[in-house]
């Protein structure tokens, strides 16, 4: 009996040990399982994060913008043409130096929407403060300077390099949007192009007495030749001599010019011969045929809107400086050049 | 009659005052600078000057007034002055820079200067940013010939990682200014040069990659108040 009891006692202890061992075993299994699960979830999370990083990097490389938690992709079927004037009467010629004295003016970024078949124009103030690439003596970029957009053209020889520098500065201002083409005009080109559409009718917005007495405030006139240049270029001698006031006249002129062009039959519109005649006063990365196409094919796109960039003009140490309202510019750039992406469109 | 004349005079005076007010309201359009602008220096007596001449012990021995300094860029060589000494120097210097495959062809001193400055760049990384000629009035020139040095300030905007080296073209030879005689204030965008002679100068720095569309997007769509 004693032995029996002893055996029983030993068996009971063994069972306890066995249970403890089993418990420890299960705990161990559970712990290993938990660690495994945690590792798997961490790995999955890390893969997901990596996917997100890769996807974000890919989208950015493709020109997408992430703004306030939303993704925006560049509009697919738009073409942009930067039209600007260069403040010189002489024909375009190499300055023989690495810089030149031709400030740019009257920046009109024409946005052609080939899907909607319309155009929007963004009129950019020449005094807009932005980063401008500084070209060195051999034409390479040596840094940037902060200054009025008009100065971008003064770097380079005054030819293609200066125009491209201007395009780069405008693109930078607008958050890196692609600008497909540029057309630069000397002051001499303005009367010629004006007359190619048969003159441009406007109601005169300012008092030009003493500057051009043929322009009477409030009176309708069809601007011809030099009158057109006086109307869109003059500041000195006017009651409101600010560039902002001049920009209003430039916008009025541009709209009317476009109406006038659209009212012409195709055969009466400026064509290849006219562009050839203008060749010393017009500089573009477009071929003459491409320019012809712009004037004949796309000029009929209705003007959806002519916008300018909201901001504030301040007098700097010497010259006027125009500071864009950043929040407004962000929204404007998104609306003009991007499409908001939903989950469905992203896929 | 006297009354009529005085009324007419008063009208003319007020009309001319209106004209001058509107003329004062006109701000001319911005124009580009063909060479770095000079910045004034304050002398020991508190006067504004274009430059100060120091002797070897650092004492002020001459002050160059604002009209005493002429900085001529290549693009502003005026018609009829193409044969002047500064214009010829500038043209020669410009052509030599254009012809050189890299700047060490112009002077081996550049490599030595980079070593002295302990910069982790090579001559191939360098480009000429500005080229211009400096002339001073005869009094200052005489002081320089006596072994004194002229301090002149230029406005130059560089990134903090961009060094400024100054090359000088004298008597058909390029030399590099001792880097201890060139001080760049990156916060104020001012380069201060201590010159022992005048002539044609080239500001040399590192070439930069163009801003990418990603940089531009980052600039516009970041959260600070104004776009720059």
């Amino acid at each position: 009996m004693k032995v029996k009891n002893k055996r029983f006692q030993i068996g009971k202890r063994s069972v306890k040990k066995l249970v403890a061992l089993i418990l420890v075993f299960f705990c161990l299994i559970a712990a290993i399982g938990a660690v495994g699960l945690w590792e798997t979830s961490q790995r999955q999370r890390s893969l997901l994060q990596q996917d997100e990083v890769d996807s974000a990097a890919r989208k950015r490389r493709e020109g997408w913008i992430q703004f306030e938690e939303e993704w925006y992709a560049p509009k697919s079927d738009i073409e942009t043409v930067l039209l600007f004037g260069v403040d010189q009467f002489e024909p375009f010629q190499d300055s023989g130096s690495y810089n030149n004295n031709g400030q740019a003016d009257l920046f009109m970024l024409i946005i052609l929407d080939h899907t909607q078949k319309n155009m929007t124009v963004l009129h950019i103030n020449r005094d807009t403060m932005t980063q401008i690439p500084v070209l060195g003596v051999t034409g390479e970029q040596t840094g940037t300077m902060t200054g009025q957009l008009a100065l971008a053209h003064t770097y380079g020889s005054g030819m293609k390099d200066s125009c491209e520098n201007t395009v780069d500065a405008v693109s930078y201002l607008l958050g890196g949007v692609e600008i497909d083409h540029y057309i630069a005009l000397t002051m001499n080109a303005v009367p010629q192009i004006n007359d190619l559409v048969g003159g441009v009718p406007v109601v005169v917005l300012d008092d030009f007495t003493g500057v051009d007495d043929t322009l009477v405030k409030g009176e309708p006139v069809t601007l011809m030749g030099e009158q057109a240049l006086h109307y869109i270029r003059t500041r000195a001698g006017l009651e409101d001599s600010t560039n902002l006031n001049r920009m209003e006249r430039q916008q009025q002129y541009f709209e009317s010019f476009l109406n006038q062009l659209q009212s012409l039959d195709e055969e009466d519109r400026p064509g290849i011969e006219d562009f050839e005649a203008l060749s010393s006063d017009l500089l573009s990365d477009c071929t003459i045929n491409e320019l012809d196409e712009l004037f004949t094919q796309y000029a009929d796109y209705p003007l959806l809107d002519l916008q300018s960039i909201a901001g504030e003009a301040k007098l700097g140490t010497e010259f006027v400086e125009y500071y864009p309202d950043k929040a407004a510019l962000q929204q404007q750039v998104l609306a003009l050049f991007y499409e908001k992406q939903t989950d469905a469109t992203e896929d | 009659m006297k009354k009529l004349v005085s009324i007419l005079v008063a009208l003319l005076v007020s009309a001319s005052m209106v004209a001058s007010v509107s003329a004062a309201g006109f701000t001319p359009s911005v124009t580009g600078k063909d060479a770095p602008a000079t910045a004034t220096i304050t002398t020991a007596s508190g006067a504004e000057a274009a430059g100060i001449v120091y002797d070897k012990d650092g004492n002020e021995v001459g002050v160059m007034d604002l009209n005493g300094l002429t900085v001529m860029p290549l693009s502003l060589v005026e018609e009829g002055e193409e044969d002047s000494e500064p214009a010829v120097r500038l043209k020669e210097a410009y052509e030599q820079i254009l012809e050189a495959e890299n700047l060490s062809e112009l002077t081996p001193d550049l490599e030595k200067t980079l070593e002295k400055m302990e910069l982790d760049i090579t001559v191939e990384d360098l480009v000429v940013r500005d080229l211009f000629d400096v002339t001073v009035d005869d009094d200052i020139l005489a002081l320089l010939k006596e072994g004194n040095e002229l301090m002149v300030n230029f406005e130059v905007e560089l990134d903090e990682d961009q060094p400024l080296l100054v090359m000088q073209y004298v008597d058909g030879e390029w030399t590099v200014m001792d880097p201890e005689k060139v001080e760049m204030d990156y916060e104020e965008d001012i380069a201060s040069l201590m010159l022992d002679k005048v002539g044609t100068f080239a500001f040399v720095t590192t070439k930069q990659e163009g801003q990418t569309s990603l940089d531009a997007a980052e600039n516009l769509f970041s959260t600070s108040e104004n776009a720059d």
Side-chain angles (χ1 to χ4, degrees):
Chain A
M1 281 296 281
K2 210 176 179 182
V3 174
K4 226 181 180 179
N5 282 344
K6 203 176 178 183
R7 270 187 191 161
F8 178 68
Q9 280 172 351
I10 292 165
K12 206 176 172 182
R13 219 180 291 144
S14 296
V15 168
K16 276 185 178 173
K17 270 187 184 173
L18 189 64
V19 169
L21 272 172
I22 289 170
L23 277 174
V24 168
F25 177 74
F26 276 112
C27 284
L28 207 63
I29 295 287
I32 291 169
V35 169
L37 280 173
W38 181 79
E39 276 187 347
T40 309
S41 74
Q42 284 298 100
R43 210 175 301 126
Q44 280 176 339
R45 189 191 290 176
S46 150
L47 282 172
L48 275 172
Q49 281 174 343
Q50 190 57 45
D51 269 359
E52 278 174 24
V53 170
D54 289 347
S55 165
R58 179 176 48 79
K59 285 172 180 168
R60 287 199 174 90
R61 277 198 303 274
E62 287 170 3
W64 290 37
I65 300 278
Q66 192 178 27
F67 183 63
E68 293 177 346
E69 308 291 313
E70 302 281 357
W71 279 102
Y72 296 83
K75 286 183 182 173
S76 55
D77 204 17
I78 61 170
E79 188 175 4
T80 49
V81 183
L82 180 65
L83 175 71
F84 62 94
V86 178
D87 209 355
Q88 64 181 56
F89 283 92
E90 311 79 43
F92 284 113
Q93 57 184 12
D94 193 316
S95 67
S97 177
Y98 62 101
N99 46 24
N100 69 88
N101 299 320
Q103 284 76 229
D105 206 332
L106 203 154
F107 294 90
M108 296 277 186
L109 182 61
I110 301 164
I111 305 154
L112 300 164
D113 187 328
H114 296 309
T115 304
Q116 304 295 327
K117 302 213 179 297
N118 61 34
M119 74 167 91
T120 306
V121 175
L122 181 63
H123 189 191
I124 307 171
N125 191 322
R126 59 168 277 150
D127 295 323
T128 305
M129 299 299 282
T130 188
Q131 271 192 37
I132 296 168
V134 173
L135 304 181
V137 171
T138 46
E140 285 153 306
Q141 189 173 322
T142 64
T144 56
M145 61 87 83
T146 306
Q148 287 89 344
L149 185 57
L151 297 177
H153 188 271
T154 64
Y155 293 96
S157 64
M159 301 296 284
K160 187 182 166 198
D161 50 350
S162 303
C163 292
E164 288 174 352
N165 208 47
T166 306
V167 166
D168 288 345
V170 172
S171 172
Y172 186 84
L173 170 72
L174 302 177
V177 297
E178 201 168 323
I179 295 173
D180 300 301
H181 303 292
Y182 66 81
I183 300 172
L185 303 168
T186 66
M187 296 297 105
N188 262 345
V190 175
Q192 296 178 64
I193 294 178
N194 177 85
D195 292 359
L196 284 174
V197 297
V200 174
V202 293
V203 174
V204 179
L205 294 176
D206 283 295
D207 182 1
F208 283 76
T209 309
V211 178
D212 184 336
D213 293 336
T214 62
L215 301 171
V216 180
K217 187 175 180 179
E219 293 290 317
V221 61
T222 296
L223 299 169
M224 294 301 298
E226 294 294 323
Q227 264 183 327
L229 186 61
H230 296 162
Y231 193 67
I232 64 169
R233 184 169 185 256
T234 304
R235 286 200 300 120
L238 302 189
E239 193 182 349
D240 182 348
S241 62
T242 62
N243 185 44
L244 287 170
N245 181 52
R246 180 172 63 178
M247 283 175 72
E248 283 181 29
R249 271 181 275 132
Q250 290 172 343
Q251 290 181 12
Q252 176 205 29
Y253 176 86
F254 187 86
E255 279 192 59
S256 182
F257 176 89
L258 207 59
N259 284 336
Q260 194 67 8
L261 178 67
Q262 288 171 345
S263 71
L264 297 176
D265 293 333
E266 202 165 304
E267 62 269 20
D268 295 329
R269 290 184 183 178
I272 290 174
E273 282 172 13
D274 300 309
F275 295 122
E276 279 173 347
L278 274 167
S279 61
S280 56
D281 288 302
L282 186 154
L283 209 53
S284 174
D285 61 335
C286 296
T287 62
I288 283 186
N289 284 329
E290 284 170 332
L291 286 175
D292 184 51
E293 192 178 61
L294 276 174
F295 269 81
T296 52
Q297 204 169 329
Y298 305 134
D300 280 326
Y301 281 7
L303 177 64
L304 195 67
D305 199 6
L306 203 168
Q307 307 177 358
S308 46
I309 297 172
E312 190 184 357
K314 297 176 184 172
L315 186 58
T317 49
E318 209 176 342
F319 304 111
V320 172
E321 299 171 354
Y322 187 76
Y323 291 91
D325 176 323
K326 187 169 181 176
L329 182 57
Q330 287 167 339
Q331 295 303 331
Q332 195 168 23
V333 167
L334 289 176
L336 288 173
F337 303 100
Y338 293 90
E339 281 166 332
K340 194 172 174 177
Q341 300 300 296
T342 60
D343 287 343
T345 52
E346 281 184 45
D347 296 335
Chain B
M1 184 64 187
K2 271 187 182 174
K3 205 172 179 182
L4 181 67
V5 170
S6 57
I7 288 169
L8 281 174
V9 168
L11 279 172
L12 276 172
V13 167
S14 50
S16 67
M17 280 171 70
V18 168
S20 62
V21 167
S22 65
F26 178 74
T27 310
S29 298
V30 64
T31 49
K33 290 182 173 62
D34 300 274
T38 51
T40 55
I41 306 177
T42 308
T43 64
S45 64
E48 294 284 293
I52 302 173
V53 183
Y54 293 97
D55 66 13
K56 291 225 174 327
D57 300 321
N59 303 311
E60 266 188 33
V61 292
V63 171
M64 181 165 63
D65 65 33
L66 298 174
N67 299 319
L69 176 73
T70 306
V71 177
M72 181 166 74
L74 187 68
S75 54
L76 281 191
V77 175
E78 285 175 16
E79 216 170 299
E81 285 189 10
E82 295 91 344
D83 296 330
S84 69
E85 203 181 320
V88 170
R89 264 198 312 254
L90 258 179
K91 187 89 177 144
E92 275 177 14
Y94 179 60
E95 282 168 3
Q96 288 188 17
I97 292 169
L98 288 187
E99 283 166 15
E101 266 190 39
N102 75 54
L103 297 177
S104 58
E105 279 182 25
L106 301 179
T107 168
D109 290 355
L110 267 178
E111 275 178 39
K112 291 177 200 159
T113 307
L114 286 179
E115 278 172 27
K116 188 175 178 183
M117 293 170 82
E118 297 179 343
L119 294 171
D120 192 20
I121 51 173
T122 65
V123 177
E124 283 74 23
D125 298 321
L126 298 175
V127 282
V128 178
R129 180 193 166 106
D130 296 292
L131 180 70
F132 53 92
D133 197 87
V134 173
T135 46
V136 293
D137 60 32
D138 291 345
D139 294 343
I140 300 296
L141 203 56
L143 287 170
L144 288 179
K145 282 180 179 164
E146 288 168 13
N148 301 301
E149 292 182 319
L150 169 68
M151 182 194 253
V152 188
N153 284 353
F154 291 94
E155 292 176 10
V156 187
E157 200 175 320
L158 291 175
D159 287 344
E160 282 195 19
D161 60 351
Q162 286 187 287
L164 176 67
L165 290 86
V166 180
M167 286 169 54
Q168 194 171 4
Y169 186 69
V170 182
D171 299 330
E173 294 287 331
W174 285 98
T175 55
V176 183
M177 274 183 71
D178 182 345
E180 286 175 7
K181 305 285 183 188
V182 178
E183 200 176 307
M184 182 66 211
D185 183 338
Y186 290 95
E187 277 190 16
E188 298 294 324
D189 297 327
I190 297 286
S192 197
L193 272 53
M194 197 66 95
L195 310 176
D196 56 8
K197 48 187 170 297
V198 288
T200 294
F201 292 86
F203 281 173
V204 176
T205 188
T206 46
K207 65 184 89 164
Q208 298 280 293
E209 293 300 319
Q211 299 273 17
T212 65
S213 54
L214 287 177
D215 299 328
E218 174 66 28
N219 175 62
L220 178 60
F221 292 100
S222 63
T223 47
S224 62
E225 226 169 77
N226 285 311
D228 62 2

